[in-house]
């Protein structure tokens, strides 16, 4: 059942990226938004790395899920969609935050 252990580690990687993206979102909309802790390069690179790693993990998870569960696993697909939505949301929040900062 070595494939089963790897499969659950893939889920953990998705969850870590989702939690990291949520923390970034909270920093941008929370009380620390005026501290300039996050710049555009950080948001862009995090989003690119998170999506690329998640695509690779999704492909590997798909192969493993076909061997473990008949019909694949929809949970990894849902985690991937949540991560993509959060990455796009972070980019939108950053653009809005910089527009507000420049107009003040």
């Amino acid at each position: 059942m070595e494939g089963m252990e790897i499969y659950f580690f893939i889920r953990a990687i998705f969850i870590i990226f989702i939690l990291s993206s949520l923390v970034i979102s909270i920093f941008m909309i929370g009380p620390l938004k005026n501290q300039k802790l996050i710049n555009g390069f950080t948001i862009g690179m995090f989003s690119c790395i998170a999506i690329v790693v998640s695509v690779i993990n999704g492909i590997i998870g798909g192969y493993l899920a076909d061997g473990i569960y008949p019909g694949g696993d929809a949970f990894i697909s849902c985690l991937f969609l949540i991560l993509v939505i959060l990455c796009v949301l972070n980019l939108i929040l950053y653009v809005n935050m910089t527009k507000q900062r420049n107009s003040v």
Side-chain angles (χ1 to χ4, degrees):
M1 288 306 243
E2 185 176 315
M4 191 81 151
E5 293 171 3
I6 294 171
Y7 184 72
F8 289 116
F9 284 127
I10 289 173
R11 284 184 175 185
I13 291 170
F14 274 108
I15 292 171
I16 288 169
F17 275 128
I18 289 171
L19 290 176
S20 300
S21 188
L22 283 173
V23 167
I24 290 172
S25 297
I26 290 170
F27 279 157
M28 284 194 292
I29 61 174
L32 299 175
K33 68 180 177 181
N34 294 329
Q35 299 286 330
K36 297 182 182 179
L37 294 174
I38 299 170
N39 59 16
F41 181 76
T42 304
I43 297 295
M45 287 307 295
F46 174 79
S47 296
C48 288
I49 290 171
I51 290 173
V52 168
V53 170
S54 296
V55 165
I56 293 169
N57 280 338
I59 292 169
I60 293 170
Y63 286 130
L64 290 175
D66 285 341
I68 296 172
Y69 304 114
D73 182 27
F75 187 66
I76 286 183
S77 300
C78 291
L79 289 176
F80 177 73
L81 291 175
I82 290 169
L83 182 66
V84 169
I85 290 169
L86 284 173
C87 287
V88 170
L89 179 70
N90 282 339
L91 291 171
I92 292 170
L93 285 173
Y94 178 75
V95 169
N96 286 337
M97 186 178 68
T98 55
K99 283 182 183 178
Q100 288 176 356
R101 195 181 300 155
N102 292 337
S103 66
V104 173

